[in-house]
Amino acid sequence: MRILIIGCGLMGSWFAEFFARSGHKLYFYDINKNSALRLSRKNYGVALSSLSRLPEIDGVLVSTPIREAGKIISNISRLLKAGKFIIEISSFKKPIWREVEEARQRGILCLSIHPLFGPRVRRLRGTSTIHVEPSNPASEYRILRKLLKGTQIIRMSLDEHDYA
């Protein structure tokens, strides 16, 4: 798959390394250009200087602070074609749920997940990932299975997730 990772901090970098090892073609964007360039120099993929014109991608992983995630989901969902995906990994879902729903209304598969593992994990076997209120369970599950092979997917409601 061709994936754009927005936010190249700790978890974004973990996903970059994991996806690169899995053979996916990657692009990176971060407001801190050096973070994206660092991943590019590791030969994980290509750093982008702007999001104004996206390369041909299948989807986007949003790995940014919550205060930025909603705005990014909203903006990127306007740039993607219907049928593409966005995966967001924020720790709380309610602050960005309106933007998730709007992206879905635009025809974007917007997956809201919470990996229950940290950046030291090398293999996903034995890990769990929360999948919050899928709008298209079968399609979203196929994407997660392809990208996060080995992790156990646990569905949860928005309220259950944020309460936990």
Side-chain angles (χ1 to χ4, degrees):
M1 294 184 110
R2 298 160 303 190
I3 305 164
L4 167 61
I5 297 176
I6 300 177
C8 301
L10 193 58
M11 282 308 286
S13 294
W14 182 91
F15 277 98
E17 181 180 344
F18 183 78
F19 289 162
R21 280 194 332 257
S22 299
H24 300 288
K25 182 174 174 100
L26 303 177
Y27 300 90
F28 310 110
Y29 178 80
D30 197 296
I31 57 169
N32 176 352
K33 305 289 186 222
N34 287 329
S35 293
L37 288 171
R38 179 179 44 79
L39 294 175
S40 183
R41 282 193 291 272
K42 289 183 174 184
N43 292 322
Y44 292 162
V46 176
L48 303 178
S49 59
S50 165
L51 294 177
S52 60
R53 255 187 88 186
L54 297 180
E56 185 62 36
I57 56 174
D58 299 301
V60 177
L61 174 80
V62 178
S63 177
T64 61
I66 265 184
R67 67 183 177 278
E68 301 297 327
K71 182 174 68 171
I72 290 167
I73 291 167
S74 183
N75 290 339
I76 207 76
S77 70
R78 289 181 175 92
L79 298 173
L80 291 175
K81 296 175 186 168
K84 303 296 184 182
F85 67 83
I86 296 172
I87 299 175
E88 72 78 21
I89 63 169
S90 62
S91 54
F92 290 98
K93 307 304 183 182
K94 205 165 262 184
I96 60 158
W97 203 253
R98 182 177 53 102
E99 290 84 355
V100 167
E101 291 288 340
E102 287 171 358
R104 290 173 171 177
Q105 289 170 3
R106 290 187 182 101
I108 306 301
L109 288 168
C110 195
L111 293 77
S112 184
I113 67 169
H114 190 151
L116 298 180
F117 54 85
R120 291 194 178 117
V121 167
R122 297 286 293 159
R123 296 175 340 151
L124 293 183
R125 186 174 315 272
T127 67
S128 299
T129 299
I130 303 299
H131 185 195
V132 178
E133 293 194 21
S135 65
N136 186 331
S139 295
E140 292 182 28
Y141 187 77
R142 269 192 303 278
I143 291 167
L144 292 175
R145 277 281 135 258
K146 191 169 200 168
L147 294 177
L148 299 176
K149 188 174 184 158
T151 192
Q152 177 188 12
I153 306 295
I154 302 167
R155 283 195 198 159
M156 196 174 277
S157 76
L158 173 69
D159 291 333
E160 285 175 311
H161 174 271
D162 282 7
Y163 178 77

